[in-house]
């Protein structure tokens, strides 16, 4: 029995040593192989010993410990990392920012350094060909890439914090401010800011874009400045009118691809104000300007006939608001805005109103004329028809367009008596306007008699061609 007890002792280690062996992963009694189950090496211990022997153990532990590390860049001193960034284009830096949150934070810190500030916040807006951008790319493209970089670096932040963070970076650029540049007419600063903003907010929902607009209003004090120009006498704050025009167009309106986006921002600018102020503000932003100094020309629509170029911006803005994508505007809203616009700052020459309607397109023109027909304003409508015919004659449009538009409007009248009254008013309007032009030529009221005579010439030809198209239409229907 004693021999057997001694034999059991030689068969395996004590339990305490066995537990220590399992805990530490060390083998006991390796001098001679033992056949008991206690000497089986645990599988878990083998995996741990394999990891320790792997030559990649340090790299794997680094990546597995946290996803928000610098990875292999951790081996570089911060100064060397910044030197690497100095050689990278902005577009490549924006791609690098998506690697991890830590790298994004490092890039934000890099922008605030003197070297990063000089590289990324290019401010040579008055001489773009000599700017520090990469060769072959414009300063606008540079800020488009910068917008993408900051969009990616601030991706995880709430909208308000993103805007504050980005504003802190850009706040030192004076040309990005509404009144920050001494020569805004020849400065690319606000255009660069608009491109930057368009890239930053692309894909954001309307609620976030509302916050962006409110933030911009707060930073630029835009509502108070608009209040000043819409409540003052037209032209009394010429410099402020110019700055508001440039800021609204270059920052908020000009860089969008889709009409719906432009309509959204234009709606944000106009909607807080009454209809009268909306028309005034629309004229400030899109109305004709002086070639010499860029200031808004208020009397161009009143003094005499104007050209299409002076009206194109207003027509495009009206079409933008009339589009179905402009959800906050009804057809009645747009027609009321057109009515108010035609008396800014005083009643326009009717020919200019007719030219604007033609540029706005068939749908808006018909809706505007039908509104007058429904509201019993047949005499105003008749004079408008004469002006449309005059514009078609002067600008070489097809006169049958005016005749067909009048024919379409005739269907709006509810009774034959109202329709006949309207047609009689058209003939009376032709006769009255021609007599006014003839009297002007005879009396010599205008300094340029040739222009008065030319206007009379166009009126007579417009009447003849208008009635010719009516005869063609009547005869072809009878045949």
């Amino acid at each position: 029995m004693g021999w057997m007890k001694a034999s059991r002792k030689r068969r395996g280690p004590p339990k305490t040593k066995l537990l220590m062996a399992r805990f530490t992963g060390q083998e006991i009694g390796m001098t001679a192989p033992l056949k008991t189950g206690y000497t089986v090496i645990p599988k878990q211990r083998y995996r741990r010993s394999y990891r320790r022997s792997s030559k990649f153990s340090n790299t794997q532990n680094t990546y597995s410990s946290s996803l928000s590390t610098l990875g292999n860049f951790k081996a570089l001193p911060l100064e060397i990392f910044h030197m690497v960034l100095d050689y990278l284009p902005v577009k490549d830096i924006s791609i690098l920012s998506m690697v991890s949150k830590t790298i994004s934070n490092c890039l934000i810190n890099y922008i605030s350094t003197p070297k990063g500030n000089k590289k990324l916040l290019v401010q040579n807006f008055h001489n773009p060909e000599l700017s520090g951008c990469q060769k072959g790319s414009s300063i606008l493209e540079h800020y488009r890439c910068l917008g993408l970089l900051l969009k990616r670096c601030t991706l995880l932040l709430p909208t308000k914090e993103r805007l504050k963070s980005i504003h802190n970076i850009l706040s030192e650029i004076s040309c990005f401010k509404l009144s920050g540049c001494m020569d805004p007419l020849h400065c690319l600063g606000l255009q660069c800011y608009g491109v930057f903003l368009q890239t930053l907010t692309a894909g954001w929902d309307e609620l976030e874009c509302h916050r962006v607009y409110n933030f911009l209003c707060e930073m630029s004090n835009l509502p108070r400045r608009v209040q000043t120009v819409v409540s003052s006498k037209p032209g009394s704050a010429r410099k402020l009118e110019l700055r508001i025009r440039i800021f609204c167009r270059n920052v908020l309106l000009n860089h969008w691809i889709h009409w719906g986006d432009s309509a959204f921002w234009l709606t944000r600018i106009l909607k807080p104000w009454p209809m009268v102020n909306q028309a005034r503000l629309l004229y400030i932003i899109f109305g004709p300007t002086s070639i010499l100094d860029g200031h808004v020309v208020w009397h161009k629509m009143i003094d005499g006939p104007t050209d299409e170029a002076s009206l194109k911006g207003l027509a495009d803005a009206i079409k933008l608001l009339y589009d179905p994508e402009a959800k906050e505007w009804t057809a009645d809203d747009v027609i009321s805005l057109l009515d108010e616009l035609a008396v800014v700052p005083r009643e326009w020459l009717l020919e200019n109103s007719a030219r604007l309607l033609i540029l706005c397109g068939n749908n808006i023109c018909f809706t505007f004329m039908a509104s007058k027909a429904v509201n019993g304003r047949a005499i105003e409508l008749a004079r408008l028809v004469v002006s449309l015919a005059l514009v078609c004659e002067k600008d070489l449009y097809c006169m049958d367009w005016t005749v067909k538009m009048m024919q379409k409007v005739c269907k709006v009248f509810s009774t034959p008596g109202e329709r006949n009254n309207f047609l009689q008013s058209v003939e009376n309007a032709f006769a009255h306007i021609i007599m006014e032009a003839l009297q002007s030529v005879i009396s010599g009221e205008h300094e340029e008699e040739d222009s008065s005579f030319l206007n009379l010439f166009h009126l007579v030809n417009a009447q003849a061609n208008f009635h010719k198209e009516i005869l063609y239409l009547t005869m072809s229907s009878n045949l």
Side-chain angles (χ1 to χ4, degrees):
M1 291 295 291
W3 178 83
M4 294 197 57
K5 288 180 181 178
S7 176
R8 284 197 192 109
K9 289 179 181 179
R10 285 196 301 270
R11 290 196 179 198
K15 289 186 178 181
T16 55
K17 290 186 178 181
L18 177 62
L19 292 174
M20 288 296 295
R22 289 183 178 180
F23 181 77
T24 60
Q26 298 176 353
E27 297 182 11
I28 298 176
M30 294 299 290
T31 56
L34 298 177
K35 297 182 180 180
T36 61
Y38 297 113
T39 59
V40 176
I41 300 173
K43 198 171 183 180
Q44 185 177 3
R45 188 186 67 176
Y46 173 77
R47 287 192 313 204
R48 279 205 298 265
S49 64
Y50 176 78
R51 277 206 306 269
R52 286 199 306 272
S53 65
S54 173
K55 62 181 179 180
F56 301 108
S57 59
N58 292 335
T59 304
Q60 291 177 356
N61 287 335
T62 301
Y63 280 108
S64 61
S65 62
S66 174
L67 294 176
S68 60
T69 62
L70 286 171
N72 290 331
F73 287 110
K74 190 175 184 181
L76 295 176
L78 187 61
E79 294 81 3
I80 303 298
F81 181 59
H82 285 180
M83 290 176 66
V84 173
L85 295 177
D86 290 339
Y87 286 95
L88 287 178
V90 183
K91 190 173 183 180
D92 292 347
I93 296 177
S94 72
I95 296 174
L96 180 64
S97 68
M98 296 188 292
V99 171
S100 69
K101 183 179 178 181
T102 302
I103 287 184
S104 290
N105 293 334
C106 288
L107 295 178
I108 292 292
N109 294 332
Y110 167 73
I111 296 174
S112 63
T113 64
K115 276 192 174 183
N117 193 288
K118 183 178 179 180
K119 174 185 174 64
L120 297 177
L121 303 183
V122 179
Q123 299 187 40
N124 200 348
F125 302 115
H126 298 267
N127 197 4
E129 63 272 11
L130 298 179
S131 64
C133 304
Q134 280 220 311
K135 186 177 180 180
S137 63
S138 66
I139 192 170
L140 294 175
E141 184 62 28
H142 173 86
Y143 274 95
R144 183 176 283 108
C145 294
L146 182 62
L148 188 60
L149 168 61
L150 293 182
K151 181 174 188 172
R152 289 168 172 173
C153 286
T154 59
L155 186 64
L156 301 178
L157 297 176
T159 302
K160 289 184 178 180
E161 292 185 24
R162 292 179 84 174
L163 295 174
K164 288 181 180 179
S165 175
I166 292 170
H167 175 72
N168 291 336
I169 295 172
L170 303 179
S171 60
E172 299 302 320
I173 304 178
S174 60
C175 290
F176 280 7
K177 301 173 183 178
L178 192 148
S179 299
C181 182
M182 298 302 294
D183 187 16
L185 197 61
H186 303 98
C187 178
L188 287 175
L190 291 179
Q191 290 187 50
C192 291
Y193 191 32
V195 167
F196 173 89
L197 187 68
Q198 187 269 335
T199 306
L200 177 70
T201 59
W204 290 16
D205 59 33
E206 287 192 1
L207 179 60
E208 289 177 316
C209 291
H210 272 281
R211 290 172 179 164
V212 173
Y213 180 74
N214 292 336
F215 185 82
L216 288 174
C217 287
E218 183 181 348
M219 294 298 106
S220 63
N221 209 0
L222 182 62
R224 185 181 65 81
R225 298 171 190 266
V226 170
Q227 177 67 47
T228 300
V229 297
V230 297
S231 59
S232 304
K233 184 180 178 180
S236 61
R238 298 168 70 231
K239 291 184 178 180
L240 185 56
E241 290 171 358
L242 176 62
R243 290 186 180 278
I244 289 174
R245 178 190 178 96
I246 293 176
F247 184 85
C248 290
R249 290 179 67 130
N250 290 346
V251 176
L252 299 173
L253 300 173
N254 285 357
H255 305 289
W256 298 101
I257 299 172
H258 302 291
W259 276 42
D261 294 324
S262 299
F264 171 84
W265 292 101
L266 182 56
T267 301
R268 302 282 70 76
I269 296 170
L270 297 179
K271 272 297 183 181
W273 307 99
M275 189 68 69
V276 176
N277 292 342
Q278 288 179 13
R280 183 95 166 263
L281 187 54
L282 199 68
Y283 194 95
I284 290 173
I285 299 173
F286 296 104
T289 55
S290 170
I291 301 175
L292 299 176
D293 55 15
H295 293 120
V296 179
V297 181
W298 288 98
H299 296 279
K300 191 161 189 176
M301 303 302 176
I302 305 165
D303 295 338
T306 188
D307 56 350
E308 290 186 359
S310 300
L311 292 165
K312 189 178 183 304
L314 290 169
D316 289 342
I318 294 296
K319 288 190 286 187
L320 199 68
L321 301 178
Y322 192 81
D323 193 89
E325 293 189 33
K327 303 173 185 177
E328 299 177 55
W329 296 85
T330 64
D332 289 339
D333 291 337
V334 178
I335 298 308
S336 298
L337 185 59
L338 265 173
D339 261 331
E340 292 292 343
L341 185 63
V343 293
V344 172
R346 297 195 306 273
E347 187 174 358
W348 289 11
L349 186 70
L350 196 53
E351 180 184 330
N352 292 333
S353 296
R355 188 171 278 109
L356 176 62
L357 286 174
I358 291 175
L359 292 175
C360 287
N362 292 351
N363 291 336
I364 295 176
C365 183
F366 169 73
T367 305
F368 185 82
M369 296 175 72
S371 174
K372 290 187 178 296
V374 169
N375 291 310
R377 298 160 70 180
I379 296 177
E380 291 181 31
L381 181 58
R383 291 179 63 87
L384 180 58
V385 170
V386 175
S387 297
L388 290 172
L390 178 61
V391 172
C392 287
E393 177 64 27
K394 282 186 173 182
D395 297 351
L396 303 179
Y397 294 129
C398 295
M399 189 62 71
D400 67 335
W401 177 86
T402 306
V403 174
K404 289 178 180 177
M405 186 63 69
M406 185 186 70
Q407 187 182 30
K408 191 175 179 181
V409 170
C410 283
K411 298 177 181 179
V412 176
F413 292 100
S414 55
T415 63
E418 291 179 346
R419 183 167 58 251
N420 293 338
N421 182 53
F422 164 65
L423 295 175
Q424 182 63 52
S425 297
V426 171
E427 294 304 317
N428 293 339
F430 262 115
H432 184 71
I433 292 175
I434 288 175
M435 289 302 296
E436 283 182 344
L438 179 60
Q439 185 179 2
S440 175
V441 172
I442 294 173
S443 63
E445 292 179 359
H446 293 77
E447 294 181 1
E448 299 180 1
E449 294 183 1
D450 290 342
S451 63
S452 299
F453 181 80
L454 187 61
N455 188 55
L456 175 62
F457 171 79
H458 284 308
L459 272 170
V460 173
N461 276 340
Q463 184 185 39
N465 289 326
F466 181 79
H467 287 100
K468 179 186 70 175
E469 293 296 335
I470 292 177
L471 288 174
Y472 284 161
L473 187 64
T474 304
M475 296 302 295
S476 61
S477 63
N478 289 338
L479 293 175

